[in-house]
Amino acid sequence: MTATTSRKRIAVVPGDGIGKEVIPQALEVLKATGAPLDFTILDWGADRYLADGTTVPPDGFVTLSGDFDAIFVGALGDPRVATNIHAKEILLGMRFKMDLFANVRPVKLLDESLCPLKNAQPADIDFVVIRENTEGVYMDMGGYFKRDTPDEVATQEDINTRKGVERIIRFAFDYARTHGRKKVLMSDKSNVMTYAGGLWQRVFKLVAAEYPEIQTQHMYVDALCLQMVRDPRSLDVIVTNNMFGDIITDLAAALQGGLGMAASGNIHPGRTSMFEPVHGSAPPIAGKNIANPMGSILTGAMMLAHLGFTAEAAKIDNAVFKAVQEKKTTVDVGGSLGTKECADWIKNQVLSSRA
Ligand code: NAD
Ligand code: IPM
Ligand code: MN
């Protein structure tokens, strides 16, 4: 995308728990960049669900796609909603019903002090996970037989379509090509899940042939977990299914300083896409001004870059980098600032970089 001066309309869903603290702070940082964004705050989340039973209002997804250029989400999940139905309908609803098939989760270490691995340097941890976002076990297909009896059987289907697998693998190769990455690693569990894995393996080979300049590699997902800890430097672009992508990106978040640092985008090229930090609503720390806002702030930068505001995005990335260097951070990453104070520092840094 190229930079544009036309204003962009952003739907904002702060959601639940710490989402309601970190998102307003991230919005302040986004505003400080001067990018021409108009924000519309939507109250989708547990409070609304508990008040009037609404998860997604009628035509909610049609409105998101039609009236907005991007969506900025905090987190969804609240202990008062034991079924988690609102989170499922809102968050997974956006991913599935808006067909946001590529979940892009960059993994970048900003400073040695943030990494739990011994002697790991920033240059050692710089890769991206491309997670399939609309299929797999997340499709909610399955059922019970003889429920609540000693003979109960539960099934949970793992759906892999040829079109779905092909488009996410192609997205990963295109991402590598356009971001100057050299290698795409496909990860599955094809030694056990032979049918789904077989499809992924065949499609990976076919698509790879169209990108001769990109190296390819395959790793079983268990071995990949070992590799992520033992030799993360060898990783570049990883493409994998929905469930494995979910699991490995929490491990990947730990490599860059924890869930408070991790950003993501849920993308369908050419359509309204959704950006959210990787972390959840973290109920135990909600409302205490201690949650790390950097994951959301970096997510905001990803959204800006996606909308074509690459210079503004870079200002945020640089300000966060500086905050980490100067320990102007929350306690989870070794600083002593509160959520608001950390975000304010970053905002002021962005403002001074505009001057
Ligand atoms: P979580 O990400 O909320 O918390 C996991 C751990 O990371 C906790 O120790 C928490 O304190 C810490 N943490 C997370 N974000 C942090 C931040 N910004 N700063 C500092 N520490 C942070 O995951 P969970 O506890 O498994 O889930 C809590 C709720 O969130 C559940 O309802 C879950 O379903 C939901 N959830 C939502 C999303 C989402 O909306 N995208 C993602 C994950 C979990
Ligand atoms: C994530 C979360 C979600 C997922 C949950 C909250 C449904 O863990 O975005 O990583 O499993 O995708
Ligand atoms: Mn997750």
Side-chain angles (χ1 to χ4, degrees):
M1 258 189 211
T2 51
T4 167
T5 49
S6 71
R7 300 192 70 77
K8 299 291 181 192
R9 301 153 302 169
I10 314 295
V12 182
V13 179
D16 304 329
I18 62 169
K20 289 194 284 193
E21 291 171 271
V22 292
I23 292 300
Q25 296 304 324
L27 292 184
E28 292 306 311
V29 176
L30 283 168
K31 287 176 198 163
T33 66
L37 305 177
D38 295 319
F39 301 108
T40 301
I41 313 284
L42 303 175
D43 65 352
W44 304 8
D47 288 341
R48 169 124 182 230
Y49 174 68
L50 290 168
D52 67 9
T54 305
T55 56
V56 178
D59 290 334
F61 296 124
V62 177
T63 308
L64 287 182
S65 307
D67 294 356
F68 294 97
D69 297 295
I71 312 162
F72 193 41
V73 173
L76 291 144
D78 186 304
R80 294 171 299 167
V81 186
T83 58
N84 211 28
I85 180 72
H86 71 299
K88 206 167 166 182
E89 292 193 0
I90 297 169
L91 182 72
L92 297 182
M94 284 183 202
R95 292 180 186 170
F96 279 71
K97 297 203 169 136
M98 300 178 71
D99 202 29
L100 305 177
F101 68 88
N103 193 329
V104 178
R105 297 188 158 184
V107 184
K108 195 168 160 51
L109 177 64
L110 298 183
D111 188 79
E112 187 181 353
S113 64
L114 300 190
C115 189
L117 300 183
K118 217 175 356 174
N119 302 326
Q121 302 298 313
D124 297 330
I125 295 168
D126 181 6
F127 61 95
V128 59
V129 177
I130 310 286
R131 165 188 177 188
E132 202 292 321
N133 217 24
T134 51
E135 299 195 344
V137 294
Y138 280 71
M139 276 188 89
D140 209 20
M141 288 176 66
Y144 297 108
F145 180 57
K146 296 188 180 176
R147 189 176 166 156
D148 292 328
T149 74
D151 297 323
E152 178 161 353
V153 177
T155 61
Q156 194 84 45
E157 301 292 339
D158 180 19
I159 309 299
N160 297 264
T161 69
R162 169 82 186 218
K163 285 180 185 148
V165 173
E166 186 168 336
R167 70 178 177 175
I168 193 66
I169 289 176
R170 196 175 293 287
F171 183 98
F173 278 98
D174 283 337
Y175 184 97
R177 196 172 255 179
T178 53
H179 290 77
R181 299 272 184 182
K182 295 190 166 39
K183 184 169 72 179
V184 176
L185 181 155
M186 191 276 277
S187 188
D188 62 18
K189 189 68 187 164
S190 52
N191 48 352
V192 178
M193 302 166 79
T194 50
Y195 305 111
L199 174 62
W200 279 77
Q201 293 271 8
R202 279 179 281 121
V203 172
F204 186 60
K205 284 200 181 71
L206 282 173
V207 175
E210 297 170 31
Y211 299 81
E213 80 282 16
I214 310 283
Q215 297 166 42
T216 60
Q217 193 179 358
H218 169 264
M219 216 174 262
Y220 298 126
V221 70
D222 47 352
L224 174 60
C225 288
L226 178 79
Q227 189 77 349
M228 282 170 65
V229 172
R230 203 177 55 178
D231 185 18
R233 197 184 182 111
S234 64
L235 303 170
D236 200 355
V237 176
I238 297 170
V239 62
T240 191
N241 73 19
N242 209 339
M243 175 59 86
F244 297 150
D246 177 48
I247 296 168
I248 67 169
T249 51
D250 265 35
L251 175 55
L255 296 176
Q256 51 183 335
L259 277 164
M261 299 300 296
S264 81
N266 299 257
I267 315 282
H268 186 128
R271 294 199 196 168
T272 302
S273 294
M274 186 268 274
F275 297 81
E276 52 168 348
V278 176
H279 66 71
S281 55
I285 63 165
K288 298 180 176 164
N289 194 43
I290 55 177
N292 187 345
M294 288 181 165
S296 295
I297 293 170
L298 291 167
T299 296
M302 268 184 94
M303 180 172 73
L304 282 179
H306 179 83
L307 293 171
F309 302 115
T310 44
E312 289 84 350
K315 285 193 175 79
I316 294 184
D317 287 338
N318 292 339
V320 170
F321 180 77
K322 197 149 190 221
V324 168
Q325 301 306 309
E326 299 195 13
K327 285 247 176 301
K328 303 293 183 191
T329 59
T330 46
V331 285
D332 56 305
V333 283
S336 59
L337 299 183
T339 307
K340 183 174 179 347
E341 292 69 27
C342 170
D344 276 348
W345 195 92
I346 295 167
K347 178 183 76 179
N348 288 329
Q349 192 63 37
V350 168
L351 285 172
S352 64
S353 70
R354 283 177 69 191

